[in-house]
Amino acid sequence: MAKITYRQALNQAMAEEMERDPSVFLIGEEVAEYQGAFKVSQGLLQRFGAKRVLDTPISEAAFSGLAVGAALYGLRPIVEFMNWSFSFVAFDQLVNNVGSLRFMSGGQFDLPMVFRGPSGGGTQIGATHSHCPESWFAGVPALTVVSPAFPDDAKGLLKSSIRSNNPVFFFEGERLYGIEGEVPDEEYLTPIGQARICREGSDLTIVSAGYVTHTALSAAEVLGAEGREADLLDLRTIKPYDFDRIAQSVRKTNRLVIVEENKPFSGWGAQVAYDVQHRLFDWLDAPILRVTGLDLPQPYNGALEAKVLPNVERILAAARQVLR
């Protein structure tokens, strides 16, 4: 298997799907001539031409709406947001149109489209560019929400998302783009809705998604050195999420810590915690704890931002508390 970056894995996924299916096209700000703000679309304009790799004006509302129309006519658009924080000016298209048209048409229209781009903080870009809106969009009934942490999953899940007839909101991360990992050379798809077991243990369960999975892995390694082993599950898909795999782990460890970069109020981890206590209460030997971003706007200052984001120290504190 080749070792490539998360960024390259996404690029390969789009190139392979555009090669396989002529109805797939990429649209967004600077995706063509500049080859993407983070170079995820590097080489695609040269390979597939200007009719399938389209630069747009700086108007997320306009190009999101254009993509909805294209999907209704049977094309499969991939829409790149330079940052998911910029998607808020297209909320009507994303929630009222993408989230409702299939239902309101009685299933007459599919919406085979992917919205993708980086979300989250950690790069000192401040409060208006560091949002984690995964949980906000997960609250829209018709949307699939994906957040892979590793290059092989980024490729496999993006290919699955492009082939889905349901709209998929695909969350990447500036801190993830440079992470390397082995990616199979042959054709493969990663199923939507299945968690990944990153580390096995019997003392507690840690559930995470996206970049903080790497933070949770670092914390699990420290716990392991202390003689406490964690089952670490990377959700990969936030909605629908893999409750069965979490349940299997909690029945073994009887303890659960949830790690998410979102702010604490109504984060996806709150839903997971509710479901586990509701369905597995008798299996729990300690209260479920969540480690989230702190409930304040993201600071520019790097030292302050490191305190706001979930970090190894706070994950270890939560793990040690449930292990008492």
Side-chain angles (χ1 to χ4, degrees):
M1 288 192 288
K3 194 171 186 179
I4 62 175
T5 64
Y6 189 103
R7 173 189 292 107
Q8 291 170 320
L10 294 169
N11 180 278
Q12 284 187 5
M14 290 191 291
E16 290 178 12
E17 291 306 298
M18 292 175 75
E19 190 71 50
R20 183 188 64 81
D21 183 348
S23 71
V24 178
F25 71 95
L26 174 65
I27 185 170
E29 296 158 354
E30 299 187 339
V31 298
E33 295 290 344
Y34 191 65
Q35 305 191 80
F38 300 98
K39 305 307 175 192
V40 176
S41 57
Q42 192 158 33
L44 296 183
L45 173 65
Q46 293 74 16
R47 185 170 173 180
F48 296 101
K51 289 187 176 179
R52 298 185 65 194
V53 183
L54 287 80
D55 276 330
T56 69
I58 303 174
S59 176
E60 284 76 8
F63 65 75
S64 295
L66 185 154
V68 171
L72 291 174
Y73 273 89
L75 299 179
R76 290 181 175 273
I78 305 168
V79 180
E80 177 174 308
F81 291 126
M82 193 179 292
N83 187 303
W84 268 102
S85 295
F86 305 158
S87 71
F88 305 156
V89 294
F91 233 64
D92 187 48
Q93 286 80 358
L94 298 178
V95 176
N96 278 331
N97 294 336
V98 178
S100 304
L101 284 175
R102 191 176 190 186
F103 175 79
M104 294 180 69
S105 70
Q108 294 182 76
F109 297 104
D110 290 328
L111 283 161
M113 56 195 313
V114 177
F115 294 88
R116 48 155 294 269
S119 70
T123 55
Q124 294 183 255
I125 51 177
T128 60
H129 291 57
S130 302
H131 292 287
C132 294
E134 296 96 320
S135 296
W136 305 353
F137 292 116
V140 181
L143 304 182
T144 298
V145 178
V146 174
S147 181
F150 300 95
D152 55 344
D153 289 333
K155 180 175 179 179
L157 277 166
L158 183 53
K159 287 168 68 72
S160 294
S161 300
I162 293 169
R163 296 185 191 188
S164 173
N165 284 333
N166 291 316
V168 178
F169 284 30
F170 197 96
F171 292 86
E172 303 158 9
E174 288 187 47
R175 292 186 291 174
L176 287 168
Y177 285 140
I179 288 178
E180 290 187 333
E182 291 186 339
V183 175
D185 299 318
E186 66 277 11
E187 164 81 359
Y188 75 99
L189 301 173
T190 303
I192 291 171
Q194 292 186 10
R196 172 179 179 146
I197 305 169
C198 299
R199 185 183 174 105
E200 294 191 65
S202 58
D203 293 315
L204 77 157
T205 300
I206 300 175
V207 173
S208 63
Y211 180 82
V212 291
T213 296
H214 298 276
T215 313
L217 267 171
S218 297
E221 289 170 4
V222 175
L223 287 171
E226 297 174 354
R228 301 293 194 128
E229 293 294 344
D231 249 6
L232 175 54
L233 307 181
D234 171 24
L235 284 186
R236 301 195 290 197
T237 304
I238 290 172
K239 189 183 180 184
Y241 82 89
D242 192 350
F243 178 83
D244 291 344
R245 188 63 191 82
I246 296 174
Q248 182 181 347
S249 177
V250 170
R251 289 190 183 104
K252 177 177 65 174
T253 68
N254 311 115
R255 292 169 174 81
L256 175 60
V257 172
I258 300 166
V259 183
E260 57 177 315
E261 189 176 329
N262 302 278
K263 303 304 181 187
F265 195 90
S266 299
W268 58 259
Q271 183 64 46
V272 173
Y274 169 78
D275 291 341
V276 171
Q277 67 81 27
H278 181 63
R279 300 171 64 179
L280 300 172
F281 186 79
D282 289 340
W283 291 91
L284 292 170
D285 286 344
I288 300 167
L289 293 185
R290 294 171 63 211
V291 179
T292 70
L294 299 183
D295 196 15
L296 67 157
Q298 206 80 356
Y300 277 115
N301 179 280
L304 293 176
E305 186 175 34
K307 297 288 186 183
V308 168
L309 294 168
N311 54 45
V312 171
E313 290 73 24
R314 285 204 282 133
I315 297 170
L316 286 173
R320 289 165 181 155
Q321 186 172 339
V322 302
L323 286 168
R324 285 178 184 167

